[in-house]
Amino acid sequence: MGEHVVVIYPHPDDEAFGAAGTITTFREKGIPVTYLCGTLGEMGRNMGNPTFATRETLPEIRKAELIKACEVLDIHLEMLGYRDKTIEFESTEDVAAHLFQFLNEIKPSLVITHYPGHAVHPDHNAFGAAAIRAVEMFPAAERPTVWAQAISNTHVEELGGPDIENDVSDRISKKLETIMAHKSQADGMLKSVKEEADDIELATKQWLGVESFYTWEFN
Amino acid sequence: MQPIEIDQLQQYIDAFANKEVYIHLETTNGAYASHFNKDAYNAGAFIRNAQVTYQRGKIVGAGSTYRVGLKLEIGWIYAEGVSQYELDKNNRLLMAGHDREGRLMVALQISETPFKY
Ligand SMILES: [Zn+2]
């Protein structure tokens, strides 16, 4: 079985901020990458800056942004149809079974997701937990490696340092292009960086230049 | 969306009175509030497609922020911090308030057909 990376995050733009550099590195090696994106970020607070979206137009806008971002990264996209901010109220087993259908079809060598309990947003924690549960549905010998991304303020203190630290500073222009594809979300965030820094590439390199993960240990 | 013109918005609110309507109401300070600021709390509430009939709706306020209250037969709905509105192409009345960075803080929306869920 060849290599295939599956990225499992709940929101359009999680892949951009969290793993765009790592994904680019895989694509450069010709390794296929599939993004299982849980929601359309329907409940996002960012409406563009100045605002151009409303609560009702945001889903279609973010869907178009997500499709564009996946074109920039040259990855395959599946939109799973959950609603933003509600994943933790779904049945973990049902979500895991849904994810497993995709994983069982793809048979990935690596799964990238959020570290449950250390991913800040309730959707991140819940979708990460469901992703890990889905991987557990494979017999132990057939399980792909899982890289779990922690973003809590306390993760280093509580878990120790991450074992995977990808320096993606030389992929930063691709990462920025992916982030920019999510215009409704990026406007506000990048504006504050721009205001404080003369050189946006240099500033983002410091902010976004490393993507780190914990290799999940199944027991 | 556009800044509130109180007379026009009042007319829109009146047009939905005494009809079965669907309400979307939310307020939030985001899922990252306490992540970025240890002293902050995450708080929010959200209801989508609550079916109600209001007898009277009223917008009150001045300058840049307004309050909108809907009087029901056996209760109330209100939103505070509303500053923009739009009657969209599906004839839904969208009202919202945003912070300086364009982030939504509060939304109250009224429609005669259910919001997409
Ligand atoms: Zn997210």
Side-chain angles (χ1 to χ4, degrees):
Chain A
M1 195 63 65
E3 287 184 72
H4 193 139
V5 177
V6 173
V7 178
I8 303 179
Y9 287 141
H11 306 126
D13 80 3
D14 288 336
E15 85 298 345
F17 288 101
T22 301
I23 290 168
T24 301
T25 313
F26 286 122
R27 291 301 298 126
E28 283 168 1
K29 292 184 198 151
I31 298 168
V33 176
T34 298
Y35 183 20
L36 307 182
C37 187
T39 79
L40 295 179
E42 291 92 343
M43 291 299 284
R45 282 198 309 150
N46 286 292
M47 296 292 170
N49 189 10
T51 57
F52 60 84
T54 69
R55 177 55 78 235
E56 299 310 311
T57 60
L58 191 64
E60 285 301 317
I61 290 170
R62 293 195 73 176
K63 184 178 177 179
E65 291 172 347
L66 173 63
I67 290 168
K68 192 172 162 208
C70 290
E71 283 167 9
V72 169
L73 288 172
D74 187 27
I75 63 177
H76 180 67
L77 168 67
E78 297 281 354
M79 291 174 276
L80 271 55
Y82 295 97
R83 189 179 174 89
D84 193 11
K85 290 201 85 167
T86 66
I87 294 178
E88 64 178 332
F89 306 119
E90 299 276 3
S91 146
T92 304
E93 282 302 309
D94 289 355
V95 178
H98 188 189
L99 291 172
F100 181 73
Q101 284 175 15
F102 290 96
L103 297 182
N104 199 31
E105 184 85 15
I106 296 167
K107 303 262 192 283
S109 46
L110 172 68
V111 168
I112 294 177
T113 192
H114 283 120
Y115 197 114
H118 278 281
V120 182
H121 192 296
D123 285 337
H124 296 171
N125 287 327
F127 217 41
I132 285 163
R133 181 76 200 96
V135 172
E136 277 173 348
M137 291 176 180
F138 285 107
E142 293 170 28
R143 279 177 199 150
T145 302
V146 174
W147 286 357
Q149 186 163 50
I151 56 177
S152 65
N153 292 324
T154 57
H155 67 90
V156 172
E157 193 182 311
E158 290 175 27
L159 305 171
D163 58 317
I164 310 288
E165 292 194 271
N166 295 334
D167 178 352
V168 299
S169 51
D170 49 359
R171 308 292 191 292
I172 209 76
S173 61
K174 190 77 157 179
K175 182 163 181 169
L176 265 181
E177 196 187 340
T178 311
I179 291 171
M180 300 293 205
H182 298 280
K183 183 171 169 24
S184 66
Q185 305 306 297
D187 274 358
M189 280 175 262
L190 292 178
K191 197 174 164 216
S192 54
V193 177
K194 263 183 203 152
E195 273 163 11
E196 286 155 31
D198 308 324
D199 184 342
I200 186 162
E201 277 220 3
L202 187 72
T204 44
K205 245 179 220 178
Q206 289 158 355
W207 174 35
L208 297 164
V210 178
E211 294 170 355
S212 42
F213 307 92
Y214 293 83
T215 303
W216 190 262
E217 302 205 17
F218 292 93
N219 39 35
Chain B
M1 297 192 127
Q2 62 173 87
I4 283 176
E5 288 172 39
I6 196 161
D7 294 337
Q8 190 189 43
L9 180 51
Q10 182 64 57
Q11 281 178 22
Y12 289 155
I13 292 169
D14 290 345
F16 287 98
N18 299 305
K19 289 177 182 168
E20 280 219 330
V21 292
Y22 296 87
I23 299 285
H24 169 112
L25 177 66
E26 74 173 283
T27 180
T28 178
N29 60 357
Y32 298 94
S34 64
H35 177 67
F36 291 121
N37 176 0
K38 278 206 307 287
D39 298 325
Y41 297 89
N42 290 359
F46 166 62
I47 185 165
R48 190 161 173 87
N49 286 329
Q51 235 184 319
V52 305
T53 301
Y54 61 88
Q55 304 161 337
R56 190 173 69 242
K58 191 169 170 186
I59 171 151
V60 183
S64 56
T65 72
Y66 295 82
R67 298 167 299 284
V68 176
L70 308 177
K71 185 179 173 70
L72 315 179
E73 193 173 351
I74 55 164
W76 285 92
I77 291 169
Y78 75 79
E80 180 167 17
V82 173
S83 59
Q84 291 189 300
Y85 74 114
E86 167 183 323
L87 193 68
D88 78 359
K89 61 179 193 299
N90 299 313
N91 204 43
R92 301 177 295 197
L93 180 55
L94 314 181
M95 295 169 277
H98 303 88
D99 69 10
R100 233 164 258 108
E101 280 80 43
R103 289 173 303 201
L104 187 135
M105 299 185 294
V106 61
L108 172 61
Q109 306 180 161
I110 306 170
S111 171
E112 287 187 62
T113 52
F115 293 99
K116 200 175 162 197
Y117 50 94

